[in-house]
Amino acid sequence: MSTLKAVRGTRDLLPPETSLWNRIEATARQVFARYNFGEIRTPVFEDTSLFARGVGEETDIVSKEMYTWEDRARAQSEKPQSLTLRPENTAGVVRAYIEHKLGETGQLQKLYYIGPQFRRERPQKGRYRQFSQIGAEVIGPPSAGSESPLRDAEVLEMLAALLDALGITGWTLEINSVGSSADRARYNEVLRAALIPVAPQMCGDCQRRAVTNPLRVLDCKVPEDQPIIDALPKITDSLDEASKTHFAAVLAALDAAAVPYTRNHRLVRGLDYYTRTTFEFTHGGLGAQNALLGGGRYDGLSEAIGGPKAPGIGFAMGEDRLVLTLQSLESAPPQVADAYIAPLGESLNPAALALARELRLAGLAIELGDGSFRLKKSFEAADKTARSIVILGEDERASGILTVKNFASGTQTKVPRTELVAFLAK
Ligand code: AMP
């Protein structure tokens, strides 16, 4: 029989790497709490039309990367429904915002999420078909201040603080404005017209995008197309006064907070819902898939999926890529327990379990050996998994004085049971 493996583009996360994932998530939660964000958890699958309407039919994600299936009706009263594993989480958050009438609170909603997303992309390092995103959204009615450029700047400043707290050094923030939906529509037409004479010399994708979604041409990475793209009209020249003022205010607030950024007029991002501010944080340690996170403002998204006017701004960071970056910056310390308890003989196994329980309740990480092991084997196992070995023989049990050997120093010490916790915690 052939052996079963994790599906292409998915993978198992094993210790000790999972402790890095946990540390990243704990740090993110702490930072989000300082900015007064609360956690939202939305379902992993949604009605397909949420993504078609929210993310955009013409995007790569919706047109070719979604895991979609027809969910069969189980009863006469049910209709079959097209469902999709979420390829991103913003549409789900905005759906929940509308469904629970969060706008009626009159307050800004500041929500973060951590969880798996699914896209049928070509797998490579840093790009998976199941990957995890840590993201946040600030959304609310305009009366709550949701359109203020200060919200954009605060989200970006929070991201700078989060990356710093994670110990990720050397990131770059690239920022752009794609304008209001009217600006974008105008620019789209300018771009469409400018592409007519040059598109035939471009790659196949660009030829298709020149007709269906001209903005996407700016994402093209094909080297031969770059001089043509650089000569195209820039979105900055299509922004109206309000969009220009908004963008200038975001940049001024970033300057005041000393958050460094680079302007990139080609940054339009792969999802249709973005308006005005768009941004990406990249890191050199990641190679081809160098985007750590991306995001932007989505002032019309709620209305696009049938909700009230609810401008918002958010981002999604690739947790897999945070892990890769941290691994490239530091060598992870091996995960070891505080002590390994070695019972000398199977008759001492119950006493060893009792001792392990006592030490674990005191907060220590304990590996429990087995009395059937010879002492040499216990020492070998302990050396690989713990900082110290505690030997529990008949004598030790009777006297209450335990023999502890610390592997780093090589010293062997007799320790009374009452002092064992303090001794091992050192
Ligand atoms: P997006 O939702 O496309 O704006 O992506 C936001 C971030 O999610 C990116 O900057 C990546 O860090 C991460 N990401 C997107 N797609 C993948 C993927 N297939 N595998 C791993 N990370 C991804």
Side-chain angles (χ1 to χ4, degrees):
M1 229 190 336
S2 63
T3 49
L4 289 168
K5 293 198 170 134
V7 172
R8 188 167 134 82
T10 73
R11 65 220 162 99
D12 304 305
L13 302 174
L14 307 173
E17 190 184 310
T18 37
S19 69
L20 186 52
W21 285 73
N22 286 329
R23 197 180 86 210
I24 289 170
E25 290 170 17
T27 305
R29 288 175 196 283
Q30 276 164 12
V31 171
F32 292 147
R34 288 214 297 270
Y35 289 77
N36 206 23
F37 279 70
E39 184 176 3
I40 182 167
R41 300 187 189 198
T42 65
V44 163
F45 56 87
E46 300 263 5
D47 196 305
T48 304
S49 60
L50 172 66
F51 304 114
R53 281 155 66 188
V55 180
E57 298 271 14
E58 285 305 327
T59 58
D60 283 353
I61 294 179
V62 174
S63 63
K64 49 187 190 204
E65 294 170 1
M66 295 205 302
Y67 287 93
T68 297
W69 70 100
E70 195 68 15
D71 212 45
R72 280 172 298 165
R74 305 229 9 209
Q76 287 277 304
S77 56
E78 276 182 359
K79 285 207 194 75
Q81 191 180 11
S82 176
L83 301 179
T84 293
L85 287 180
R86 62 184 185 198
E88 58 90 63
N89 219 150
T90 301
V93 171
V94 177
R95 197 248 331 118
Y97 171 92
I98 298 167
E99 186 168 336
H100 302 286
K101 300 188 170 55
L102 300 182
E104 290 178 13
T105 61
Q107 302 300 310
L108 275 184
Q109 301 297 309
K110 297 162 70 175
L111 304 165
Y112 78 87
Y113 59 83
I114 300 177
Q117 317 294 334
F118 307 85
R119 295 182 195 172
R120 194 189 283 104
E121 295 194 87
R122 211 155 51 80
Q124 63 183 85
K125 189 173 180 211
R127 190 159 78 189
Y128 310 99
R129 291 182 166 178
Q130 174 174 336
F131 58 99
S132 177
Q133 285 184 335
I134 300 178
E137 317 290 350
V138 180
I139 178 171
S143 60
S146 57
E147 286 174 305
S148 167
L150 185 57
R151 300 281 73 87
D152 309 34
E154 189 187 25
V155 163
L156 289 163
E157 186 278 324
M158 175 171 81
L159 281 166
L162 174 53
L163 293 176
D164 289 346
L166 287 169
I168 294 185
T169 49
W171 48 260
T172 304
L173 161 58
E174 293 186 24
I175 187 166
N176 191 26
S177 175
V178 295
S180 65
S181 55
D183 297 339
R184 272 168 69 114
R186 198 167 42 242
Y187 180 59
N188 230 16
E189 290 323 306
V190 171
L191 206 53
R192 197 187 297 277
L195 281 165
I196 293 172
V198 292
Q201 294 128 54
M202 302 181 81
C203 71
D205 275 345
C206 280
Q207 294 189 20
R208 186 176 53 80
R209 292 164 175 159
V211 182
T212 57
N213 196 349
L215 274 176
R216 293 272 72 75
V217 168
L218 304 182
D219 285 339
C220 173
K221 299 274 187 315
V222 176
E224 295 76 36
D225 288 359
Q226 301 311 307
I228 302 176
I229 297 170
D230 286 336
L232 290 169
K234 297 183 178 36
I235 196 158
T236 331
D237 301 324
S238 290
L239 299 187
D240 66 10
E241 278 313 308
S243 293
K244 279 188 191 150
T245 310
H246 183 98
F247 193 41
V250 176
L251 300 184
L254 290 177
D255 289 337
V259 175
Y261 58 84
T262 311
R263 287 180 61 171
N264 174 358
H265 69 86
R266 277 178 57 178
L267 188 73
V268 291
R269 315 254 317 116
L271 304 102
D272 274 1
Y273 51 59
Y274 287 115
T275 52
R276 295 198 166 161
T277 314
T278 54
F279 55 85
E280 223 165 65
F281 281 72
T282 56
H283 195 278
L286 280 168
Q289 300 302 318
N290 69 349
L292 277 176
L293 69 96
R297 186 164 265 290
Y298 45 83
D299 291 345
L301 176 56
S302 170
E303 286 142 297
I305 57 177
K309 189 168 165 60
I313 178 153
F315 64 85
M317 37 192 356
E319 197 178 355
D320 305 72
R321 295 192 194 169
L322 293 178
V323 169
L324 285 169
T325 308
L326 284 173
Q327 285 171 335
S328 76
L329 293 174
E330 59 185 61
S331 52
Q335 186 182 336
V336 287
D338 294 310
Y340 180 105
I341 298 175
L344 298 184
E346 284 175 68
S347 63
L348 286 153
N349 275 351
L353 180 64
L355 178 61
R357 177 171 164 82
E358 189 179 310
L359 300 178
R360 286 168 175 154
L361 284 172
L364 294 175
I366 301 296
E367 275 289 338
L368 180 56
D370 190 278
S372 68
F373 284 16
R374 308 271 292 268
L375 194 55
K376 183 164 176 283
K377 186 170 168 184
S378 291
F379 263 95
E380 283 166 4
D383 196 16
K384 292 198 184 88
T385 54
R387 291 191 290 124
S388 297
I389 183 167
V390 177
I391 295 160
L392 181 64
E394 275 304 346
D395 289 352
E396 283 82 4
R397 180 165 63 170
S399 66
I401 309 278
L402 293 131
T403 306
V404 181
K405 180 172 176 183
N406 179 283
F407 293 113
S409 65
T411 51
Q412 195 154 307
T413 321
K414 298 272 184 206
V415 185
R417 187 159 176 158
T418 49
E419 292 167 24
L420 194 56
V421 170
F423 183 86
L424 292 174
K426 269 194 294 197

